[in-house]
Amino acid sequence: MMFNKILVKLAGYLILFLFSISTAYSKNEKPNVLFILTDDQSFDALGSANNPHIKTPNLDKLAAQGLTLSHVYNQGSWSPAVCAPSRAMINTGRNLFETGMQNKDVPMDARPDYPLWGETFRNAGYETFMTGKWHVSRDALLRSFDVGQAVHEGGMTYDHYNAVMLDINEGGNGVSKTYSSKKHTSELIADAAVNYLQKKQDSQDKPFLMYVAFLAPHDERQSPSHFVEMYPGESIPLPTSFKQQHHLDQGDFWIRDEKLLSIPRKEDEMKTFIGEYYAMVSHLDEQVGRILATLESSSFADNTIIIFTSDHGLAVGRHGLLGKQNQYDHSIRAPFIIAGKNIDKGKTIKGNIYLNSIFPTTAELAGIKVPSTVQAKSFVPLLEGKQDSMNDTIYGAYRHFQRMVRTDDFKYIYYPLIKETQLFNLKNDPEELTNIATDAKYAEQLNRMKQKLTTLMKQYKDPVDLNNPMSSYSDAGFNTDAWSLQYTEYH
């Protein structure tokens, strides 16, 4: 009799165990993913990044609810439109020169069709949603997303109140005719995201991946007047690294980004410019707050991973520069917050990751097999508290004009066309103001950094021969045109 009772208990435990497994791995228990991407937002354009001059209450609240990675990098660009390579890396999980999207001599339909982030989640049973700036290819868009509203494919510089948008047809079969945003892009994109979350409440058969890509704070610098009034030019302090002009032509110096203001820079113009930038970020923050509030009030709140970041940073007056076509921290780093179940709250760690790590990390968290074509590392070890940094050295490149290697303590930048060298002691000089490359005391450190760069260039299959930068870059199929002369608009 006792033996029978034990068997009954064991059978009951087994049933409960099997039920718990089936529940834990049911589609509805898979984590949802909300990915929020901004355009041209510097890592320190957040109140939570200890910037007292900007108001971002909603993103500050998200930072308090999640984990901030202070050092997150875009690997660089093969185009003056730095946002396009960044998005190619995010969506393929591959490195800068290996996304298959950059060779000017290979037509789009003949380029490698690596598995994409949205496509991978879609094939794993997720419903995938897109709104905002895409800037990859039409084919990649339709492979990646089931649902798309207010999608901006990329192109020429835009008016935020009259941007060209389209929708993905039901079932992912083609796209609609284009139409005008007719309202500020940040508001239209937030509308689309909020509407999707509200409708999804009635159809919870699949977990979701939401790709919400704002066009702000990319110029044109437009936002509602009450946000502009929050930042009068006379109240804006100039950055410590403000200069009237960059001391050398680092390549593409006379590009459209840099011609948004007069050169040399005027202090009053620069203050107004920064104020308009902050106004766009604050307006953007308000729209992000609408999305987060909708998520928080939904049944998805406890089972959604939220990632907020940008495609790269922006100079906005630092080093005499306005744009992102440089290797200073203000331009190669991006803000980064991740929040969700079992993720530390209100904590900041270094991270030292590239943006292309988002794809493998979210796949691992969702229990989805990471495609073998993905080159980036998952940063789940950071979320598990096993380490606080993924890379000892960080690589960066801009076309054939610039190469960079960075450690926690030093940064080395080399300009192969003009044979200029910069070395910064980041511990003593975080603003990168004092070039110590010719200081004999740092000669050994300079040689070490040069060796590190050589190693990373090989690791990342960089096509540039530093002794013959232009010809080697062109021979590899990359564009060496002088954009400042031949092109006046892009983004």
Side-chain angles (χ1 to χ4, degrees), residues 95 108 264:
N95 296 320
M108 291 298 297

Side-chain angles (χ1 to χ4, degrees), residues 40 47 58 159 180 212 214 304 307 311 318 345 410 451 453:
D40 282 9
N58 294 293
D159 175 350
S180 168
V212 181
F214 287 92
T304 299
I307 295 176
D311 49 4
R318 290 170 281 198
K345 299 183 189 306
F410 290 91
Q451 291 169 10
L453 178 60

Side-chain angles (χ1 to χ4, degrees), residues 260-330:
L260 292 173
L261 292 181
S262 60
I263 303 173
R265 313 302 185 193
K266 298 175 182 176
E267 292 191 7
D268 56 341
E269 288 183 351
M270 185 56 63
K271 289 183 176 184
T272 299
F273 188 82
I274 295 170
E276 291 170 348
Y277 180 69
Y278 283 177
M280 284 196 82
V281 174
S282 290
H283 179 227
L284 163 72
D285 176 85
E286 181 181 74
Q287 302 310 309
V288 171
R290 292 175 53 212
I291 300 170
L292 296 179
T294 303
L295 176 65
E296 192 172 339
S297 64
S298 75
S299 59
F300 309 119
D302 296 330
N303 194 35
T304 299
I305 299 161
I306 305 168
I307 295 176
F308 166 81
T309 188
S310 193
D311 49 4
H312 46 70
L314 203 66
V316 202
R318 290 170 281 198
H319 292 96
L321 303 171
L322 302 182
K324 57 265 188 179
Q325 297 84 7
N326 63 82
Q327 295 299 306
Y328 298 113
D329 266 22
H330 48 63

Side-chain angles (χ1 to χ4, degrees), residues 7-21:
L7 283 177
V8 170
K9 280 188 175 182
L10 286 173
Y13 291 144
L14 180 60
I15 291 169
L16 286 172
F17 175 69
L18 292 173
F19 177 76
S20 67
I21 289 178

